Amino acid sequence: QVRVVESGGGSVQSGGSLRLSCVASAFDFPKYCMVWFRQAPGKEREAVAAIGNEDYTRVVPKVNGRFTISQDNADQGNAKATMYLQMNSLQPEDTAMYYCAADTKACYSGFFWGLPSRYSMWGQGTQVTVSS
């Protein structure tokens, strides 16, 4: 059974950096999509970045140039997948609970990768708080 666990959240001042990690265990599929979402209090969950097979990567315009998504290629064949979200120049509006979601279909297949309803495998979230 796939298990998704996020880590790396915390509290930083405006302009600071954080690196989030997401580990999906028992997750080794030829096609896959792993996505970072975030949800601020009172707001809808929104997609931040995606990574998948065939070196597929996307970052939404709102955070493009500040956030970078990557994965650990050493996981290949080890029945797990690890992805990271490097967040630089953090702003108070980046404050949210950050979630990792995983899918066994390619990011470019099926419904748009940024739709939360596409995913059935979710982590518990990690809180990011940015103070001004």
Side-chain angles (χ1 to χ4, degrees):
Q1 185 174 353
V2 175
R3 184 168 177 245
V4 179
V5 179
E6 307 95 335
S7 62
S11 297
V12 296
Q13 291 191 325
S14 180
S17 298
L18 283 173
R19 189 194 197 203
L20 305 184
S21 299
C22 169
V23 179
S25 58
F27 192 82
D28 187 8
F29 302 94
K31 296 185 186 296
Y32 63 93
C33 188
M34 295 181 72
V35 180
W36 286 104
F37 288 88
R38 67 184 183 184
Q39 188 167 19
K43 294 189 177 181
E44 293 187 354
R45 192 167 296 192
E46 63 175 0
V48 176
I51 195 162
N53 57 289
E54 299 175 29
D55 296 324
Y56 184 99
T57 60
R58 291 293 187 273
V59 180
V60 299
K62 185 181 295 187
V63 301
N64 194 25
R66 299 190 297 122
F67 291 12
T68 303
I69 190 169
S70 61
Q71 61 185 345
D72 189 346
N73 292 323
D75 285 338
Q76 292 179 7
N78 290 335
K80 71 171 185 175
T82 304
M83 74 166 175
Y84 306 100
L85 186 68
Q86 178 66 43
M87 306 186 295
N88 298 328
S89 301
L90 283 162
Q91 301 300 316
E93 53 264 36
D94 296 317
T95 295
M97 185 71 80
Y98 283 70
Y99 297 92
C100 173
D103 190 5
T104 57
K105 296 188 296 295
C107 293
Y108 50 79
S109 295
F111 292 108
F112 171 55
W113 64 262
L115 287 174
S117 58
R118 166 176 168 160
Y119 303 92
S120 59
M121 293 176 278
W122 289 87
Q124 80 290 348
T126 185
Q127 178 68 39
V128 172
T129 303
V130 185
S131 58
S132 58

